[in-house]
Amino acid sequence: MKSLKACIFNIQKYSIHDGPGIRTVIFFKGCPLRCLWCSNPESQDMNLQLSWDISKCKPNEKCPLMCPHKNYHKYIETNDFEWIKSCPHNALSIYGEYRDIDYIMNEIIKDVDFYEESGGGVTLSGGEVLLHHEFAKSLLKKLKEHNIHTAIETTGYANPKIFNEFITNVDLILYDLKHYDSQRHFEYTNVYNEIIIENLKTAVSIGKEVVIRIPVIPKVNNSLEDAVNFCKLIKSIGAKNVNLLPFHQFGQKKYSLLCREYKFKGVQQLHEEDLLEYKNIFIENGLNCTI
């Protein structure tokens, strides 16, 4: 039987921001949302992608025939990127690698002592891990066989049946909530939020540990009125824990590497001190809120 594989764009070790303790975070490639502020645009497409650093590009006779400066529109159509190795100035690289479960488990097991000592574990992230639900379900079962704490970072945008089955072996759900209003959610992410809210209700109702993560984005959802409306929705669902994520510009360069336009270029970053009033609204509404 052919082993399952998934496209992974990063395995980050010693993370302390994606669940309790010291963790390994597995980043799955592919996401159904298209958030205009996304800091990991390389995570959106499920396939391998070429990264082209034009600042290093110095075209000459040694350049490969498919080099982006010659045929940029063509390279997207293939997963065969062996030719990039002939780039004389290392201006080309690949986002993503196809990995099987054995490979990922071998990487995880190397750090099991850190998980045990710190109360940590493994977090499956993305992109959107639910796009790889069969692979990820098998991986979660393996992790549970080793008594490793499991967490997922998810948009919650998936068929409810898939979501319900998937979270069986998940200890902690870090659940993105981009907007409370479905139309505005569509405007900024290209999907409506009804399924997201339905799956969130399910996770809370069955007693899963859920932390709602709200990326606070200028002119999208950063007004105090937005905070009030988020609170109304979250309280109606019965969730208690909220983590605010201030907008940042850390991923801006990746858009140029992918030859994509970044819609939030020049938008001012937010910092913890900018969100104190916003945070207080959640606290006043009886919610546990951190930044």
Side-chain angles (χ1 to χ4, degrees):
M1 182 177 176
K2 190 176 180 180
S3 62
L4 287 173
K5 288 189 176 183
C7 194
I8 307 296
F9 72 92
N10 192 17
I11 298 178
Q12 180 180 323
K13 298 196 172 193
Y14 314 116
S15 173
I16 57 172
H17 300 294
D18 302 282
I22 296 172
R23 310 189 70 80
T24 296
V25 185
I26 313 298
F27 290 89
F28 288 79
K29 206 168 180 310
C31 183
L33 276 63
R34 292 295 181 266
C35 303
L36 297 181
W37 58 86
C38 181
S39 60
N40 289 317
E42 78 280 18
S43 75
Q44 294 178 355
D45 194 298
M46 290 187 71
N47 302 303
L48 304 180
Q49 285 179 289
L50 187 68
S51 167
W52 176 32
D53 189 344
I54 195 169
S55 67
K56 295 180 180 178
C57 190
K58 299 177 182 178
N60 58 49
E61 69 279 359
K62 295 182 180 179
C63 290
L65 293 176
M66 291 184 69
C67 184
H69 81 269
K70 300 178 180 178
N71 296 290
Y72 177 73
H73 65 288
K74 292 184 179 179
Y75 76 80
I76 299 175
E77 300 170 3
T78 178
N79 275 335
D80 179 12
F81 291 117
E82 278 297 309
W83 52 271
I84 72 167
K85 295 177 182 178
S86 60
C87 175
H89 300 290
N90 297 315
L92 305 174
S93 59
I94 296 298
Y95 285 125
E97 295 178 285
Y98 291 104
R99 297 299 190 188
D100 61 23
I101 289 174
D102 287 343
Y103 177 90
I104 294 175
M105 283 301 300
N106 286 337
E107 291 299 304
I108 288 168
I109 294 301
K110 292 175 184 177
D111 297 320
V112 70
D113 289 344
F114 293 107
Y115 313 147
E116 292 175 354
E117 292 173 10
S118 68
V122 173
T123 300
L124 307 185
S125 188
E128 176 50 67
V129 62
L130 289 165
L131 285 181
H132 304 267
H133 56 92
E134 291 297 342
F135 180 97
K137 278 195 300 184
S138 297
L139 179 58
L140 287 167
K141 288 179 183 177
K142 288 277 189 183
L143 293 170
K144 282 300 157 196
E145 289 171 7
H146 289 81
N147 296 313
I148 294 174
H149 181 275
T150 58
I152 61 169
E153 294 179 323
T154 181
T155 67
Y157 191 81
N159 181 293
K161 185 176 185 294
I162 289 172
F163 182 82
N164 297 349
E165 294 175 353
F166 184 83
I167 61 177
T168 301
N169 287 311
V170 177
D171 297 312
L172 169 65
I173 304 175
L174 303 173
Y175 203 105
D176 287 359
L177 194 57
K178 320 285 189 181
H179 213 287
Y180 52 86
D181 180 87
S182 188
Q183 186 59 45
R184 293 192 69 192
H185 195 284
F186 180 83
E187 181 181 350
Y188 294 112
T189 71
N190 205 41
V191 303
Y192 295 101
N193 70 3
E194 284 83 1
I195 288 176
I196 293 169
I197 292 172
E198 179 183 348
N199 287 333
L200 177 57
K201 287 178 179 177
T202 297
V204 172
S205 68
I206 65 174
K208 286 291 179 180
E209 183 180 359
V210 177
V211 176
I212 295 174
R213 286 182 158 183
I214 300 175
V216 184
I217 312 299
K219 298 183 179 181
V220 174
N221 62 7
N222 71 319
S223 74
L224 298 185
E225 181 182 355
D226 289 324
V228 170
N229 286 315
F230 270 122
C231 288
K232 289 178 181 177
L233 174 59
I234 293 167
K235 290 172 69 177
S236 74
I237 291 169
K240 291 291 184 182
N241 301 310
V242 178
N243 181 213
L244 305 178
L245 307 175
F247 171 72
H248 60 74
Q249 292 283 13
F250 299 155
Q252 181 173 340
K253 184 179 179 181
K254 295 178 183 178
Y255 286 83
S256 64
L257 295 177
L258 290 167
C259 294
R260 287 180 53 186
E261 180 186 2
Y262 179 47
K263 300 290 187 180
F264 274 67
K265 184 177 181 179
V267 175
Q268 188 171 355
Q269 297 188 119
L270 297 177
H271 303 281
E272 183 172 347
E273 57 269 25
D274 299 319
L275 298 182
L276 295 181
E277 282 188 85
Y278 195 97
K279 172 185 174 183
N280 283 338
I281 290 175
F282 289 84
I283 293 172
E284 289 165 2
N285 276 273
L287 299 171
N288 304 317
C289 185
T290 60
I291 300 175

